[in-house]
Amino acid sequence: MPRVKKEEQVEKKAKKRAKPIQLVKGMKDVLPPEQYIWEHIHQNAEKMCQDFGFGRIETPILESTDLFKRGVGSSTDIVEKEMFSFETQGNDQVSLRPEGTAGVVRSYIENGMSKWVQPVRLYYEGPMFRYDKPQQGRYRQFTQFGAEILGEDSPAIDAQVIYLAWKIFQKIGIKNVSIQINSIGCQSCRTKYKKLLTDYYDMKLNKLCVDCKRRLEKNPMRLLDCKEEKCMQVAAGAPQIIDNLCPECHDHFRSVLEYLDELEISYVLNSSLVRGLDYYTKTVFEIWAEGEDSESRQSALGGGGRYDGLVGLLGGEETPAVGFSFGMERVAEKVTKMNLDLESRIVKDVFLVQLGDLARRKVLKAFDKLIDTEITVGESLGRGSIKSQLRMANKVKAKLALIIGQKEALDNTVIVRDMKSGMQETVMMDDIVKEVERMLKKS
Ligand code: HAM
């Protein structure tokens, strides 16, 4: 075909090709190379929760909008600006959950869990949605792993939840975490404190950012963790909640810290830690990767606290509770940066190598025999050379390469090559499982 015509055809084809559809803003694909990191995080967190006596709970992604308005708080950024809310065809107002705690509490009430042996310990993992400004570590769909303990008000339980979070990060391999902790008191000490805070900020109005001026009336405590430089300077001189706790909240907090000392878990008292959800009472905490300062707290790996009023607020009997959650994406990004040696997940015992059509068919047969055993098996079914396939075997750290060339395919045999020593043996295809087991024991 003349060159010009061919080029015309290629151009025509390119024009016809549909425009690719892109990922929705703020969303993220988790591809196979990242999956083993996610699996590593998931397995360690789940095992730790189970060892601590937690049971898994799954609640729907879609809940009634009122649950979050009432639970998380209608004046929080999450509910005010960040929810994916819509009306169903049946005219119900629903939202994609922005966090996991409210749904767990709804389920606790609805399923009569207050009749179970208390406290009830639940853990969960799943997607959450916040229409936030996307940036590094901040997505519009993200995955939280969380744990909640409902039905116990002892400060020992607050400490245990923090201990669990800390243990999970240790197990995952993120050893250098800093636990930032504060107490925001109960409703009664907070009412007094908010008045003090509003009086203080009223005198500094001209030094505040637009958002803080707006927040001052509805949610003055949020001003304490504004990230604007000028607001941070004002916050530094603000009265501290810790000096304004009622005796009960004060004692509770002191005990939490004593338990943490007992467990030898170090923490940083952070008086500007107030958290962005309205349901918290008394203890609040966040887990930061070590080295992160207050400016980067938006990238906290996890956070949580006590929420003694939430079950009552959502229509259940008054029930104390405490919990935490962490973001899988942020933790996975941290693990990726740390280059932990997690490659054992892609390691195979044996790798099947072939040359030619008939050999490829025999590889499928050998694969079928091996896949039902304990032996982990990888294979190449492409047209690459033996050398390039052996390179693939090396990549997955296979101990043995099982090579089938044209001769072996006809003889119904397999060459078993010890990847370390280079020694080779020919065995019958029918004996492959037995022979591989024998040679794996030797290698
Ligand atoms: P939170 O601090 O809003 O707390 O979120 C917990 C964690 O979820 C954060 O520390 C972060 O790792 C992750 N996260 C939050 N927003 C995003 C985002 N846009 N993109 C990526 N990751 C994000 C809660 O949600 C509470 N329910 C925690 C809790 C449980 N308190 C008591 N029990």
Side-chain angles (χ1 to χ4, degrees), residues 78 82 98-102 124 128-130 132-133 135 137-144 146-148 275-277 279-280 285-287 297-307 322-331:
I78 295 178
E82 298 172 4
E99 59 98 54
T101 311
Y124 52 89
M128 312 289 159
F129 300 82
R130 293 183 194 175
D132 207 345
K133 209 163 134 203
Q135 51 186 277
R138 186 167 291 258
Y139 302 96
R140 288 183 176 168
Q141 176 180 333
F142 58 98
T143 310
Q144 275 186 354
E148 316 284 352
R275 312 269 301 128
L277 306 101
Y279 50 61
Y280 290 114
F285 65 94
E286 276 183 0
I287 295 130
R297 74 184 97 163
Q298 62 192 24
S299 61
L301 297 174
R306 181 163 275 287
Y307 49 95
V322 56
F324 84 100
S325 73
F326 67 81
M328 290 289 284
E329 291 77 6
R330 286 189 196 172
V331 174

Side-chain angles (χ1 to χ4, degrees), residues 129-182:
F129 300 82
R130 293 183 194 175
Y131 196 84
D132 207 345
K133 209 163 134 203
Q135 51 186 277
Q136 172 78 16
R138 186 167 291 258
Y139 302 96
R140 288 183 176 168
Q141 176 180 333
F142 58 98
T143 310
Q144 275 186 354
F145 187 104
E148 316 284 352
I149 304 183
L150 299 109
E152 176 58 68
D153 63 3
S154 163
I157 294 287
D158 306 37
Q160 198 187 31
V161 164
I162 296 171
Y163 178 56
L164 168 67
W166 182 80
K167 274 294 235 192
I168 289 176
F169 283 107
Q170 298 301 301
K171 275 277 169 200
I172 289 171
I174 308 178
K175 308 263 181 202
N176 284 336
V177 289
S178 138
I179 294 171
Q180 306 279 317
I181 191 167
N182 193 19

Side-chain angles (χ1 to χ4, degrees), residues 109-123:
I109 300 166
E110 208 164 346
N111 292 294
M113 288 190 222
S114 61
K115 306 271 179 315
W116 296 10
V117 176
Q118 304 293 299
V120 175
R121 293 165 199 263
L122 303 165
Y123 75 93

